[in-house]
Amino acid sequence: MNTYYYYYSSPIGKLLLAGDGNCLNLLGLPSGSMAREHQNHWVKDSVPFREAMSQLEKYFSGELRKFNLILAPKGTTFQKSVWEALTLIPYGETWSYGQLASYIGKPKASRAVGAANGVNPIPIIIPCHRVIGANGKLTGFGGGLQMKNSLLTLESTKK
């Protein structure tokens, strides 16, 4: 099975979109720990990502608050439960790691939730940027805190 990829030019830099032609498996950020590049054997093709690019365009312009794409992130059952819960954080709002841990029924697992949040393979669309520290401060984000702040500012000004 082929892996397709395309680089989408966004207001925060080039985002790597990758998937199998039906599902989005990866959104690589332009910088930080979640910066990603395509692999040599992947096939460059924008067609599988037309809808994702359209929705990202609407998100960055403030017209889209919730993505509706077929996603297939690769991870453990626990990680997937965290990522699913992330999609429930409303646009323009934030939850703490503790709130997220409580939501998935693991109130003492905020560190594990933080670790799963940190390896989210489809950031922005699975909005891990909406998770902050218990003290209300911005904490780690795979694209860096400046990018996280930009995304949260975008959402707070487009509410």
Side-chain angles (χ1 to χ4, degrees), residues 78 82 96-98 100-102 104 106 109-118 131:
F78 177 77
V82 171
S96 70
Y97 293 99
L100 192 55
S102 291
I104 65 166
K106 307 262 185 203
S110 40
R111 286 182 190 251
V113 162
N117 197 55
V131 182

Side-chain angles (χ1 to χ4, degrees), residues 14 16 23 34 40 62-63 79 91 98 110 121 139 145 151 158:
K14 285 191 176 186
L16 170 64
C23 303
M34 288 305 289
N40 290 334
E63 298 172 43
Q79 289 170 332
Y91 180 94
S110 40
T139 57
L145 291 182
L151 294 168
K158 303 287 186 183

Side-chain angles (χ1 to χ4, degrees), residues 12 14 27-37 118 123 140-148:
I12 59 170
K14 285 191 176 186
L27 186 150
L29 299 172
S31 61
S33 63
M34 288 305 289
R36 299 288 183 264
E37 293 183 0
F141 177 65
L145 291 182
Q146 184 176 354
M147 185 181 295
K148 181 174 189 160

Side-chain angles (χ1 to χ4, degrees), residues 122-135:
I122 311 177
I124 302 171
I125 294 171
I126 298 176
C128 54
H129 61 279
R130 295 181 188 154
V131 182
I132 59 173
N135 60 3

Side-chain angles (χ1 to χ4, degrees), residues 79-94:
Q79 289 170 332
K80 288 177 182 180
S81 72
V82 171
W83 302 335
E84 179 65 31
L86 288 170
T87 67
L88 303 175
I89 303 173
Y91 180 94
E93 295 183 22
T94 57

